[in-house]
Amino acid sequence: MIEYKKNDRGFIFLKDKIELSTKNKKKVLVKNMSHAKQFVREFGDKNKVKDQYSNFNLTLFSCDLDHDDKRLIISKLLNNIENDIILYRGFDDLELTNLLNKKLNPYLDNFNKKFNARIRKICSIFDENKDLNKEKFEFYLEELCNFKLTTIYKLSGISKSVVLSYFFLEQKITIFDLFELTNIENFVQQKKWGYIPEQKDKDKEMLKILKNISIFFKNVI
């Protein structure tokens, strides 16, 4: 039997009257009742317990983060942004390149303007991003609570785009926008050559994971 209980910091969980902790002995604490209710619903669901992207496991992951964990996550995000999937333009297909520019350049430009960054598009395998001025974005990440840091970290791991995951976190795009904007090349190829079953399965799984992370995020904002 598990139940939640409100205290002065949010909601804690009790299992057989004993306060629930993470594997590293950190308190499982959430901010609002909707999050607490969903955590309780998923606690006894074997499928949710096995799914690393369920609200249940994302909550435990977030609550378990310490200072060193957060620094490691932030370092990974800052490194990954240098090769963000939305930066690549090294295609011979001019129609595809133009479409990518039309759809993705506004997000890149807005991100650079917001954080005074200098992230550039990659047009060949010899291009690389240097001197990106990531300090403001690093400060932004440092100010995020554990739940929001988990959201952008997990989203960018699946979508391969830190930039677009940021815009989702700021509620500027939906989870479906994120999926479509990070799969423009695939959609163009499907239009030309057809939608093979293997790709359908991959897309279905990706959308499922993105939706799960989106549900988690709605519970923590």
Side-chain angles (χ1 to χ4, degrees), residues 40-57:
V40 169
R41 283 196 300 270
E42 294 188 358
F43 186 86
D45 187 327
K46 292 182 179 179
N47 291 327
K48 298 295 184 182
V49 171
K50 292 179 181 178
D51 182 358
Q52 64 172 311
Y53 297 105
S54 67
N55 178 79
F56 174 79
N57 278 312

Side-chain angles (χ1 to χ4, degrees), residues 176-219:
F176 299 104
D177 294 329
L178 179 62
F179 175 74
E180 290 178 0
L181 291 168
T182 54
N183 281 281
I184 293 173
E185 181 190 356
N186 286 338
F187 295 154
V188 170
Q189 296 299 326
Q190 290 163 18
K191 187 176 180 180
K192 288 182 177 180
W193 309 110
Y195 197 16
I196 62 175
E198 291 84 354
Q199 188 61 49
K200 287 183 181 180
D201 292 339
K202 288 181 180 179
D203 289 347
K204 183 178 179 180
E205 181 64 19
M206 181 179 180
L207 265 174
K208 177 186 174 183
I209 294 172
L210 292 178
K211 287 177 183 178
N212 282 349
I213 300 173
S214 177
I215 290 169
F216 168 75
F217 178 65
K218 288 177 181 177
N219 280 325

Side-chain angles (χ1 to χ4, degrees), residues 106-149:
Y107 294 102
L108 180 58
D109 293 342
N110 287 340
F111 185 90
N112 279 333
K113 183 177 180 181
K114 170 70 177 179
F115 295 106
N116 194 27
R118 293 186 288 271
I119 304 170
R120 293 176 291 274
K121 291 178 287 185
I122 298 171
C123 297
S124 79
I125 60 173
F126 302 105
D127 287 345
E128 57 181 323
N129 273 295
K130 294 182 178 180
D131 188 28
L132 301 185
N133 193 31
K134 296 181 281 188
E135 287 81 4
K136 283 190 174 182
F137 185 56
E138 182 175 7
F139 179 76
Y140 167 85
L141 295 173
E142 291 171 345
E143 293 297 299
L144 294 176
C145 70
N146 284 15
F147 297 118
K148 289 185 177 180
L149 184 62

Side-chain angles (χ1 to χ4, degrees), residues 17-60:
K17 306 302 181 182
I18 299 174
E19 191 170 340
L20 196 66
S21 299
T22 67
K23 63 181 180 180
N24 289 326
K25 309 302 181 184
K26 294 183 178 296
K27 185 180 297 185
V28 181
L29 175 75
V30 302
K31 297 179 180 180
N32 57 62
M33 188 177 293
S34 63
H35 193 172
K37 286 182 176 179
Q38 183 150 3
F39 185 87
V40 169
R41 283 196 300 270
E42 294 188 358
F43 186 86
D45 187 327
K46 292 182 179 179
N47 291 327
K48 298 295 184 182
V49 171
K50 292 179 181 178
D51 182 358
Q52 64 172 311
Y53 297 105
S54 67
N55 178 79
F56 174 79
N57 278 312
L58 292 173
T59 299
L60 292 179

